Coordinates of all heavy atoms in Angstrom, one line a residue:
L860 N -201.3 83.2 -113.1 CA -201.7 81.8 -112.7 C -200.5 81.0 -112.2 O -200.6 79.9 -111.6 CB -202.4 81.1 -113.8 CG -203.7 81.6 -114.3 CD1 -204.2 81.0 -115.6 CD2 -204.8 81.5 -113.2
T861 N -199.3 81.4 -112.5 CA -198.1 80.8 -112.1 C -198.1 80.5 -110.6 O -197.8 79.4 -110.1 CB -196.8 81.6 -112.4 OG1 -196.7 81.6 -113.8 CG2 -195.6 81.0 -111.8
F862 N -198.5 81.5 -109.8 CA -198.5 81.4 -108.4 C -199.6 80.5 -107.9 O -199.3 79.8 -106.9 CB -198.5 82.8 -107.8 CG -197.5 83.7 -108.3 CD1 -197.7 84.6 -109.2 CD2 -196.1 83.5 -107.9 CE1 -196.7 85.4 -109.7 CE2 -195.1 84.2 -108.4 CZ -195.4 85.2 -109.3
K863 N -200.7 80.4 -108.6 CA -201.7 79.4 -108.3 C -201.1 78.0 -108.5 O -201.4 77.1 -107.7 CB -203.0 79.6 -109.1 CG -204.1 78.6 -108.8 CD -205.3 78.8 -109.6 CE -206.4 77.8 -109.3 NZ -207.5 77.9 -110.2
Y864 N -200.4 77.9 -109.6 CA -199.8 76.6 -109.9 C -198.9 76.2 -108.8 O -198.9 75.0 -108.4 CB -199.0 76.7 -111.3 CG -198.3 75.4 -111.6 CD1 -198.9 74.4 -112.3 CD2 -196.9 75.3 -111.4 CE1 -198.2 73.2 -112.6 CE2 -196.2 74.2 -111.7 CZ -196.9 73.1 -112.3 OH -196.2 72.0 -112.7
A865 N -198.1 77.1 -108.3 CA -197.1 76.8 -107.2 C -197.9 76.4 -106.0 O -197.5 75.4 -105.3 CB -196.3 78.0 -106.9
E866 N -199.0 77.1 -105.7 CA -199.8 76.7 -104.5 C -200.4 75.3 -104.6 O -200.3 74.5 -103.7 CB -200.8 77.8 -104.3 CG -200.3 79.2 -103.9 CD -201.4 80.2 -104.0 OE1 -202.6 79.9 -104.3 OE2 -201.0 81.4 -103.8
E867 N -200.9 75.0 -105.8 CA -201.5 73.7 -106.1 C -200.5 72.6 -106.0 O -200.7 71.5 -105.4 CB -202.2 73.7 -107.4 CG -203.5 74.6 -107.5 CD -204.6 74.2 -106.6 OE1 -204.7 73.0 -106.2 OE2 -205.4 75.0 -106.1
F868 N -199.3 72.8 -106.6 CA -198.2 71.9 -106.5 C -197.8 71.6 -105.1 O -197.6 70.5 -104.6 CB -197.1 72.3 -107.4 CG -196.0 71.3 -107.4 CD1 -196.0 70.3 -108.4 CD2 -195.0 71.3 -106.5 CE1 -195.0 69.4 -108.4 CE2 -193.9 70.4 -106.5 CZ -193.9 69.4 -107.5
E869 N -197.7 72.7 -104.3 CA -197.2 72.6 -103.0 C -198.2 71.8 -102.1 O -197.8 70.9 -101.4 CB -197.0 74.0 -102.3 CG -196.4 74.0 -100.9 CD -196.0 75.3 -100.5 OE1 -196.2 76.3 -101.2 OE2 -195.4 75.4 -99.4
K870 N -199.5 72.0 -102.4 CA -200.5 71.3 -101.6 C -200.5 69.8 -101.9 O -200.6 69.0 -101.0 CB -201.9 71.9 -101.9 CG -202.1 73.3 -101.4 CD -203.5 73.8 -101.8 CE -203.7 75.2 -101.3 NZ -205.0 75.8 -101.8
A871 N -200.4 69.5 -103.2 CA -200.3 68.1 -103.7 C -199.1 67.4 -103.1 O -199.1 66.2 -102.7 CB -200.4 68.1 -105.2
A872 N -198.0 68.1 -103.2 CA -196.7 67.5 -102.7 C -196.8 67.2 -101.2 O -196.3 66.2 -100.7 CB -195.5 68.4 -103.1
Q873 N -197.4 68.2 -100.5 CA -197.5 68.0 -99.1 C -198.4 66.8 -98.7 O -198.1 66.1 -97.8 CB -198.1 69.3 -98.5 CG -198.2 69.3 -96.9 CD -196.8 69.2 -96.3 OE1 -195.9 70.0 -96.6 NE2 -196.6 68.2 -95.4
R874 N -199.5 66.6 -99.5 CA -200.3 65.4 -99.3 C -199.5 64.1 -99.5 O -199.6 63.2 -98.8 CB -201.5 65.4 -100.3 CG -202.5 66.5 -99.9 CD -203.9 66.3 -100.6 NE -203.8 66.3 -102.0 CZ -203.9 67.4 -102.8 NH1 -204.1 68.6 -102.2 NH2 -203.8 67.3 -104.1
M875 N -198.6 64.1 -100.6 CA -197.8 63.0 -100.8 C -196.8 62.8 -99.7 O -196.5 61.6 -99.3 CB -197.0 63.1 -102.2 CG -198.0 62.9 -103.4 SD -197.1 62.7 -105.0 CE -196.7 64.5 -105.3
L876 N -196.3 63.9 -99.1 CA -195.3 63.8 -98.1 C -196.0 63.2 -96.8 O -195.4 62.4 -96.1 CB -194.7 65.1 -97.8 CG -193.6 65.2 -96.7 CD1 -192.4 64.4 -97.2 CD2 -193.3 66.6 -96.4
D877 N -197.3 63.5 -96.6 CA -198.0 63.0 -95.4 C -198.5 61.6 -95.6 O -198.9 61.0 -94.6 CB -199.1 63.9 -95.2 CG -198.8 65.3 -94.7 OD1 -197.6 65.5 -94.3 OD2 -199.6 66.3 -94.9
A878 N -198.5 61.1 -96.8 CA -199.0 59.7 -97.1 C -197.9 58.7 -97.1 O -196.8 58.9 -97.7 CB -199.7 59.7 -98.4
E879 N -198.2 57.6 -96.4 CA -197.1 56.5 -96.3 C -197.1 55.7 -97.7 O -198.1 55.6 -98.3 CB -197.5 55.5 -95.2 CG -196.5 54.4 -95.1 CD -197.0 53.3 -94.0 OE1 -198.1 53.6 -93.4 OE2 -196.3 52.3 -93.9
M880 N -195.9 55.3 -98.1 CA -195.8 54.5 -99.3 C -194.9 53.3 -98.9 O -193.7 53.6 -98.5 CB -195.3 55.2 -100.5 CG -195.1 54.3 -101.7 SD -194.8 55.2 -103.3 CE -196.5 55.4 -103.8
T881 N -195.3 52.1 -99.2 CA -194.4 50.9 -98.9 C -193.8 50.5 -100.3 O -194.2 51.0 -101.3 CB -195.2 49.8 -98.4 OG1 -196.2 49.4 -99.3 CG2 -195.9 50.1 -97.1
T882 N -192.8 49.7 -100.2 CA -192.2 49.2 -101.4 C -193.2 48.5 -102.3 O -193.1 48.7 -103.6 CB -191.0 48.3 -101.1 OG1 -190.0 49.1 -100.3 CG2 -190.3 47.8 -102.3
P883 N -194.0 47.6 -101.8 CA -195.0 47.0 -102.7 C -196.0 48.0 -103.3 O -196.4 47.8 -104.5 CB -195.8 46.0 -101.8 CG -194.8 45.7 -100.7 CD -194.0 46.9 -100.5
M884 N -196.3 49.0 -102.6 CA -197.2 50.1 -103.2 C -196.5 50.8 -104.4 O -197.1 51.0 -105.4 CB -197.5 51.1 -102.1 CG -198.5 50.5 -101.0 SD -198.6 51.6 -99.6 CE -199.4 53.0 -100.3
L885 N -195.2 51.0 -104.2 CA -194.4 51.7 -105.2 C -194.3 50.7 -106.5 O -194.4 51.1 -107.6 CB -193.0 52.0 -104.7 CG -192.1 52.6 -105.8 CD1 -192.7 54.0 -106.3 CD2 -190.7 52.9 -105.2
R886 N -194.1 49.4 -106.2 CA -194.1 48.5 -107.3 C -195.3 48.5 -108.1 O -195.3 48.4 -109.4 CB -193.8 47.1 -106.7 CG -193.8 46.0 -107.8 CD -192.5 46.2 -108.7 NE -192.5 45.3 -109.8 CZ -191.7 44.1 -109.9 NH1 -191.1 43.8 -108.8 NH2 -191.8 43.4 -111.0
T887 N -196.5 48.6 -107.5 CA -197.8 48.7 -108.2 C -197.8 49.9 -109.1 O -198.2 49.8 -110.3 CB -198.9 48.8 -107.2 OG1 -198.9 47.6 -106.4 CG2 -200.3 48.9 -108.0
V888 N -197.3 51.0 -108.7 CA -197.2 52.2 -109.6 C -196.3 52.0 -110.7 O -196.6 52.3 -111.9 CB -196.8 53.5 -108.7 CG1 -196.6 54.7 -109.6 CG2 -197.9 53.8 -107.7
V889 N -195.1 51.5 -110.4 CA -194.1 51.3 -111.5 C -194.6 50.3 -112.6 O -194.4 50.5 -113.7 CB -192.8 50.7 -110.9 CG1 -191.8 50.3 -112.0 CG2 -192.1 51.8 -110.0
D890 N -195.3 49.2 -112.2 CA -195.9 48.3 -113.1 C -196.9 48.9 -114.0 O -197.1 48.5 -115.1 CB -196.5 47.1 -112.4 CG -195.4 46.2 -111.8 OD1 -194.2 46.3 -112.2 OD2 -195.7 45.3 -111.0
K891 N -197.7 49.9 -113.4 CA -198.7 50.6 -114.2 C -198.0 51.5 -115.2 O -198.5 51.8 -116.3 CB -199.6 51.4 -113.4 CG -200.6 50.5 -112.6 CD -201.5 51.3 -111.7 CE -202.5 50.4 -110.9 NZ -203.4 51.1 -110.0
L892 N -196.9 52.2 -114.9 CA -196.2 53.1 -115.7 C -195.5 52.3 -116.9 O -195.5 52.9 -118.0 CB -195.2 53.9 -114.9 CG -195.7 54.9 -113.9 CD1 -194.6 55.5 -113.1 CD2 -196.4 56.0 -114.6
W893 N -194.9 51.2 -116.6 CA -194.2 50.4 -117.6 C -194.7 49.0 -117.6 O -194.1 48.0 -117.1 CB -192.7 50.4 -117.3 CG -192.0 51.7 -117.4 CD1 -191.6 52.3 -118.6 CD2 -191.7 52.6 -116.4 NE1 -191.0 53.5 -118.3 CE2 -191.0 53.7 -117.0 CE3 -191.8 52.6 -115.0 CZ2 -190.5 54.8 -116.2 CZ3 -191.3 53.7 -114.2 CH2 -190.7 54.7 -114.9
P894 N -196.0 48.8 -118.1 CA -196.6 47.4 -118.1 C -195.9 46.4 -118.9 O -195.4 46.8 -120.0 CB -198.0 47.7 -118.5 CG -197.9 48.9 -119.4 CD -196.8 49.8 -118.8
V895 N -195.9 45.2 -118.5 CA -195.3 44.1 -119.2 C -196.3 43.0 -119.2 O -196.8 42.5 -118.1 CB -193.9 43.6 -118.7 CG1 -193.4 42.4 -119.4 CG2 -192.9 44.8 -118.8
A896 N -196.6 42.4 -120.4 CA -197.5 41.3 -120.4 C -196.8 40.0 -120.5 O -195.6 39.9 -120.8 CB -198.4 41.4 -121.7
D897 N -197.6 38.9 -120.2 CA -197.0 37.5 -120.2 C -196.3 37.2 -121.6 O -195.3 36.5 -121.7 CB -198.0 36.5 -119.8 CG -198.4 36.6 -118.4 OD1 -197.7 37.2 -117.6 OD2 -199.5 36.1 -118.0
A898 N -197.0 37.7 -122.7 CA -196.6 37.4 -124.0 C -195.4 38.2 -124.5 O -194.8 38.0 -125.5 CB -197.7 37.5 -125.0
D899 N -194.9 39.2 -123.6 CA -193.8 40.1 -124.1 C -192.5 39.3 -124.1 O -192.4 38.2 -123.4 CB -193.7 41.3 -123.1 CG -194.8 42.2 -123.4 OD1 -195.3 42.3 -124.6 OD2 -195.2 43.0 -122.5
S900 N -191.5 39.8 -124.8 CA -190.2 39.2 -124.9 C -189.5 39.1 -123.6 O -189.7 39.9 -122.7 CB -189.4 39.9 -125.9 OG -189.0 41.2 -125.4
S901 N -188.6 38.2 -123.5 CA -187.8 38.0 -122.3 C -187.0 39.2 -122.1 O -186.6 39.6 -121.0 CB -186.9 36.8 -122.5 OG -186.0 36.9 -123.6
R902 N -186.5 39.9 -123.1 CA -185.7 41.1 -123.0 C -186.5 42.2 -122.3 O -186.0 42.9 -121.4 CB -185.2 41.6 -124.4 CG -184.4 42.8 -124.3 CD -183.8 43.2 -125.6 NE -183.0 44.4 -125.6 CZ -182.3 44.9 -126.6 NH1 -182.4 44.4 -127.8 NH2 -181.6 46.1 -126.4
K903 N -187.7 42.4 -122.7 CA -188.6 43.4 -122.1 C -188.9 43.1 -120.6 O -188.9 44.0 -119.8 CB -189.9 43.5 -122.9 CG -190.8 44.6 -122.4 CD -192.0 44.9 -123.3 CE -192.9 46.0 -122.8 NZ -194.0 46.2 -123.7
K904 N -189.0 41.8 -120.3 CA -189.2 41.4 -118.9 C -187.9 41.6 -118.1 O -188.0 42.1 -117.0 CB -189.6 40.0 -118.9 CG -191.0 39.7 -119.5 CD -191.3 38.2 -119.5 CE -192.7 37.9 -120.1 NZ -193.0 36.5 -120.2
S905 N -186.8 41.4 -118.8 CA -185.5 41.6 -118.1 C -185.3 43.1 -117.8 O -184.9 43.5 -116.7 CB -184.4 41.1 -118.9 OG -183.2 41.4 -118.3
N906 N -185.7 43.9 -118.8 CA -185.6 45.4 -118.6 C -186.5 45.9 -117.5 O -186.2 46.8 -116.7 CB -186.0 46.1 -119.9 CG -184.9 45.9 -121.0 OD1 -183.8 45.6 -120.7 ND2 -185.3 46.2 -122.2
Q907 N -187.7 45.3 -117.4 CA -188.6 45.7 -116.4 C -188.0 45.4 -115.0 O -188.1 46.2 -114.0 CB -189.9 44.8 -116.5 CG -190.9 45.2 -115.4 CD -192.0 44.1 -115.3 OE1 -191.7 42.9 -115.4 NE2 -193.3 44.5 -115.2

Protein backbone atom coordinates (compact mmCIF):
# COMPACT_ATOMS: atom_id res chain seq x y z
CA LEU A 1 0.00 0.00 0.00
CA THR A 2 3.04 2.24 0.23
CA PHE A 3 2.87 2.93 -3.46
CA LYS A 4 -0.84 3.68 -3.31
CA TYR A 5 -0.01 6.16 -0.55
CA ALA A 6 2.57 7.77 -2.79
CA GLU A 7 0.07 8.01 -5.64
CA GLU A 8 -2.61 9.53 -3.40
CA PHE A 9 -0.16 12.03 -1.92
CA GLU A 10 1.07 13.02 -5.36
CA LYS A 11 -2.49 13.61 -6.58
CA ALA A 12 -3.40 15.67 -3.52
CA ALA A 13 -0.19 17.70 -3.74
CA GLN A 14 -0.78 18.33 -7.44
CA ARG A 15 -4.27 19.64 -6.66
CA MET A 16 -2.74 22.02 -4.12
CA LEU A 17 -0.14 23.12 -6.67
CA ASP A 18 -2.90 23.89 -9.17
CA ALA A 19 -4.96 25.86 -6.62
CA GLU A 20 -4.31 29.54 -6.00
CA MET A 21 -3.76 30.70 -2.41
CA THR A 22 -3.62 34.33 -1.34
CA THR A 23 -2.09 35.67 1.85
CA PRO A 24 -5.54 36.25 3.45
CA MET A 25 -6.52 32.67 2.59
CA LEU A 26 -3.38 31.38 4.29
CA ARG A 27 -4.13 33.56 7.34
CA THR A 28 -7.53 31.87 7.66
CA VAL A 29 -5.84 28.45 7.77
CA VAL A 30 -3.21 29.57 10.29
CA ASP A 31 -5.89 31.03 12.58
CA LYS A 32 -7.74 27.70 12.51
CA LEU A 33 -4.58 25.78 13.35
CA TRP A 34 -3.61 28.07 16.23
CA PRO A 35 -6.85 29.74 17.39
CA VAL A 36 -6.76 32.66 19.82
CA ALA A 37 -9.86 33.95 21.65
CA ASP A 38 -10.53 37.53 22.77
CA ALA A 39 -10.20 36.42 26.40
CA ASP A 40 -6.76 34.89 25.89
CA SER A 41 -3.66 36.48 27.41
CA SER A 42 -1.74 39.24 25.71
CA ARG A 43 1.25 36.91 25.52
CA LYS A 44 -0.72 34.32 23.56
CA LYS A 45 -1.96 37.03 21.21
CA SER A 46 1.59 38.32 20.76
CA ASN A 47 2.80 34.79 19.98
CA GLN A 48 0.03 34.46 17.42
